[in-house]
């Protein structure tokens, strides 16, 4: 009997969030109120959504980052959900007196979401566990772009060891941000890549950033697919898969997670982008934010039916 192939171990670094999601017919106008048709309480945050996606795809996922005081209810709720997904939480740092982030999210029938979030600024003062411990037997690292302040040394060491570092960028970055050069792969959203580069065109923005970093660069554009630079610096596109979207919350995070998972398995970026597009598309067909991420068997069953 052939030996089984061990699932890749992937380290996720981020700040978990407790999400309260409300389905509404339309986002209420300023100063008004509206009734929601559905309420769900879920766990979220960019890296945690990606972690859930990777765990469902078959990865061995460890999570590191700050959470609030051990006595507050949001962190207990999130940790319970992470345990259900089989995510290793041993490296999460509890910070006395602080509050785990909480968000309120309104989701319209089109799947578009509007949210507000509270993050305690003191969470960024976290000190992560020992780097050797975190990177042991690690095939990839995925981090939220906002977390570079407390993990840049870990990312630099991961790259020195040949471990890919994938950064999910959901806000504009400074051109002096050390993650631009510490990362091996930078996955932007369209708005953020344009704002970071100061250029109102996805392709030209990617080319501008390519002069500042050796990292692989891509920008996701929702139903318009993903634009990226190949090894020769030429623009290429990976199409999105057409689906009837009901909830886009967490879709980008699922994309990032599926992409990182493929890299950890040794796949190339072209295959990883297509796989990630399929995972994100399936997530959009169901409610639940990152908790609606598909299983691997679903993604592999979906892909052969697509052009």
């Amino acid at each position: 009997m052939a030996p089984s192939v061990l699932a890749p171990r992937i380290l996720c670094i981020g700040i978990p969030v407790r999400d309260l999601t409300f389905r509404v017919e339309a986002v209420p106008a300023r100063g008004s109120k509206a009734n929601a048709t559905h309420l769900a309480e879920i766990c979220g945050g960019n890296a945690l959504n990606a972690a859930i996606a990777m765990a469902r795809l078959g990865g061995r996922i460890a999570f590191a980052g700050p959470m609030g005081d051990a006595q507050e209810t949001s962190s207990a709720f999130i940790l319970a959900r992470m345990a259900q997904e089989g995510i290793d939480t041993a490296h999460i740092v509890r910070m006395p007196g602080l509050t785990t982030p909480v968000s309120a999210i309104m989701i319209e029938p089109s799947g578009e979401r509007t949210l507000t979030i509270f993050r305690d600024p003191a969470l960024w003062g976290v000190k992560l566990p020992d780097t050797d411990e975190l990177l042991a037997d690690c095939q990839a690292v995925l981090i939220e772009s906002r977390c570079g302040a407390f993990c840049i040394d870990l990312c630099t060491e991961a790259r020195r060891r040949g471990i890919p570092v994938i950064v999910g960028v959901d806000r504009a970055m400074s051109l002096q941000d050390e993650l631009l050069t510490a990362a091996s792969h930078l996955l932007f959203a369209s708005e953020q890549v344009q704002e970071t580069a100061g250029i109102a065109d996805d392709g030209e923005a990617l080319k501008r950033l390519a002069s500042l970093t050796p990292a692989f660069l891509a920008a996701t554009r929702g139903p318009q697919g993903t634009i990226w630079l190949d090894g020769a610096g030429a623009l290429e596109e990976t199409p999105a898969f057409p689906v009837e979207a009901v909830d886009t919350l967490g879709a980008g995070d699922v994309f990032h997670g599926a992409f990182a998972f493929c890299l950890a398995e040794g796949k190339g970026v072209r295959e990883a982008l297509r796989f990630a597009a399929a995972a994100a598309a399936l997530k959009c067909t169901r409610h639940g934010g990152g908790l609606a991420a598909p299983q691997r068997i679903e993604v592999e069953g979906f892909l052969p039916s697509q052009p």
Side-chain angles (χ1 to χ4, degrees):
M1 180 181 295
S4 61
V5 177
L6 192 62
R9 180 181 182 273
I10 303 166
L11 173 66
C12 292
I13 300 175
I15 304 180
V17 180
R18 184 184 191 182
D19 290 335
L20 299 175
T21 65
F22 304 84
R23 295 185 208 168
V24 296
E25 290 303 316
V27 175
R30 181 181 180 184
S32 67
K33 61 182 179 180
N35 290 323
T37 60
H38 185 270
L39 166 68
E41 185 176 13
I42 60 177
C43 59
N46 303 127
L48 180 49
N49 286 335
I52 292 169
M54 291 188 287
R56 293 185 177 183
L57 293 172
R60 294 180 294 132
I61 310 304
F63 198 98
M67 288 185 73
D69 193 282
Q71 301 303 313
E72 54 102 41
T73 57
S74 291
S75 56
F77 170 81
I78 293 170
L79 287 169
R81 294 310 304 255
M82 294 174 78
Q84 291 176 10
E85 298 291 337
I87 297 170
D88 177 4
T89 61
H91 306 301
I92 286 178
V93 181
R94 308 304 294 273
M95 302 188 71
L98 302 188
T99 301
T100 295
V102 178
S103 70
I105 304 167
M106 290 177 286
I107 301 173
E108 299 175 75
S110 67
E112 190 59 66
R113 83 285 189 274
T114 303
L115 64 88
T116 184
I117 185 170
F118 170 75
R119 286 192 185 90
D120 194 321
L123 290 169
W124 271 268
V126 67
K127 180 174 175 56
L128 294 181
D130 179 71
T131 295
D132 285 338
E133 178 184 352
L134 290 175
L135 294 180
D137 188 32
C138 187
Q139 281 76 54
V141 176
L142 182 146
I143 75 166
E144 300 174 10
S145 58
R146 63 173 54 85
C147 296
F150 60 76
C151 67
I152 193 69
D153 291 342
L154 180 143
C155 294
T156 301
E157 176 60 18
R159 294 300 303 127
R160 190 190 70 79
R161 299 184 188 191
I163 301 170
V165 174
I166 301 95
V167 178
V169 185
D170 75 334
R171 63 172 187 166
M173 297 177 71
S174 163
L175 295 182
Q176 286 72 49
D177 193 318
E178 292 178 281
L179 277 180
L180 281 176
T181 51
S184 61
H185 298 75
L186 289 160
L187 303 178
F188 288 84
S190 173
E191 179 180 350
Q192 281 69 44
V193 77
Q194 292 186 24
E195 190 174 348
T196 297
I199 299 175
D201 176 85
D202 292 335
E204 293 306 311
L206 289 174
K207 291 179 179 179
R208 164 80 173 97
L209 296 181
S211 67
L212 304 175
T213 175
F216 170 83
L217 295 167
T220 56
R221 301 173 296 172
Q224 281 71 54
T226 301
I227 188 169
W228 51 284
L229 291 174
D230 66 17
L235 288 170
E236 298 207 34
E237 295 189 36
T238 298
F241 297 108
V243 294
E244 186 174 345
V246 298
D247 179 2
T248 61
L249 177 66
D253 306 328
V254 170
F255 184 102
H256 300 160
F259 179 85
F261 177 80
C262 286
L263 294 188
E265 286 199 318
K267 296 180 173 64
V269 293
R270 191 180 302 276
E271 183 177 359
L273 288 167
R274 178 172 165 80
F275 187 90
L282 288 170
K283 178 263 139 333
C284 289
T285 64
R286 59 193 78 162
H287 287 283
L291 289 174
Q295 303 287 334
R296 182 169 190 157
I297 192 172
E298 295 180 90
V299 181
E300 292 181 340
F302 175 79
L303 278 169
S305 66
Q306 302 303 312

